[in-house]
Amino acid sequence: DAGVIQSPRHEVTEMGQEVTLRCKPISGHDYLFWYRQTMMRGLELLIYFNNNVPIDDSGMPEDRFSAKMPNASFSTLKIQPSEPRDSAVYFCASSFRTSGSGRPTDTQYFGPGTRLTVL
Amino acid sequence: GNSVTQMEGPVTLSEEAFLTINCTYTATGYPSLFWYVQYPGEGLQLLLKATKADDKGSNKGFEATYRKETTSFHLEKGSVQVSDSAVYFCALSEGSGGYQKVTFGTGTKLQVIP
């Protein structure tokens, strides 16, 4: 399996520009998570989806951030307009329900991350 | 709410030294506990887990025991290698219904020198 795929791996942009981060979860996984990692705040959950539906977006910092999951194999995280304080590494992760139990397996599988720098 | 507290880093050890990274947690019920590892430039990956009290998770020479009485899940390894240099995250998951929310600690950076 290819694992969770994220693109781009690095993004450098100027303040005010729109940024779109992309994620392809592991095939068969029905949960998808977006995290942000910074030195100051550590690893923060921004939003998660179940079966392509956003379930909890309480971690999204403000209205400049939006996330979509149009199908089971693709999700985007968009920042518009971007600001220097958005500079961070953004991770996508996926997980799946165990067969029969209806509960997720707990383990999350992370992508390699996108390092975003906003100048 | 749930929380995870792990020791401040960085931790610097010589190769073949014994490693302990402390982790304690606060949870309302009976969480599952995890250690994730993040190598430079990569995402987090599961290192080991334990789902109930007194369980021991182990992988790649690392071990951690779920201690309910002390609400701890300390990570240990008897002899570290340079290749173990990474950031280690303690985490717990707890919830009802469909989703078990994962709470991560702040991470502890380990540097192993030859």
Side-chain angles (χ1 to χ4, degrees), chain A residues 24-40:
Chain A
K24 176 179 169 55
I26 293 172
S27 177
H29 285 196
D30 56 355
Y31 282 85
L32 184 139
F33 309 86
W34 281 101
Y35 290 89
R36 178 172 67 177
Q37 185 179 43
T38 61
M39 289 294 292
M40 291 297 294

Side-chain angles (χ1 to χ4, degrees), chain A residues 9 31 33 35 37 41-43 45 48 56 89 91 95 97 102-113, chain B residues 32 34 36 38 41-46 49 51 87 89 93-102 104-106:
Chain A
R9 292 295 309 274
Y31 282 85
F33 309 86
Y35 290 89
Q37 185 179 43
R41 301 173 69 92
L43 194 64
L45 176 65
Y48 79 91
D56 184 353
V89 180
F91 289 104
S95 68
R97 289 180 186 274
R103 299 176 69 87
T105 63
D106 302 283
T107 301
Q108 296 187 10
Y109 297 80
F110 282 75
Chain B
S32 296
F34 309 81
Y36 281 81
Q38 183 180 27
E42 299 183 10
L44 281 69
Q45 55 186 275
L46 180 69
K49 65 185 281 188
T51 58
V87 180
F89 292 86
S93 75
E94 184 180 42
S96 59
Y99 173 54
Q100 294 180 304
K101 179 179 170 62
V102 179
F104 288 90
T106 53

Side-chain angles (χ1 to χ4, degrees), chain A residues 41-117:
Chain A
R41 301 173 69 92
L43 194 64
E44 303 172 275
L45 176 65
L46 301 178
I47 185 172
Y48 79 91
F49 296 82
N50 176 222
N51 291 324
N52 314 336
V53 177
I55 304 300
D56 184 353
D57 65 354
S58 59
M60 297 285 261
E62 47 197 279
D63 292 345
R64 298 184 297 106
F65 286 69
S66 62
K68 294 182 180 180
M69 193 167 185
N71 58 62
S73 58
F74 183 66
S75 177
T76 60
L77 178 67
K78 185 176 292 186
I79 308 173
Q80 167 64 20
S82 58
E83 297 183 3
R85 58 195 170 114
D86 302 331
S87 297
V89 180
Y90 290 81
F91 289 104
C92 176
S94 67
S95 68
F96 64 99
R97 289 180 186 274
T98 55
S99 59
S101 71
R103 299 176 69 87
T105 63
D106 302 283
T107 301
Q108 296 187 10
Y109 297 80
F110 282 75
T114 296
R115 182 173 294 277
L116 173 64
T117 303

Side-chain angles (χ1 to χ4, degrees), chain B residues 9-25:
Chain B
V11 174
T12 302
L13 295 173
S14 297
E15 205 165 22
E16 299 184 0
F18 185 86
L19 168 71
T20 299
I21 300 178
N22 291 336
C23 171
T24 57
Y25 68 90

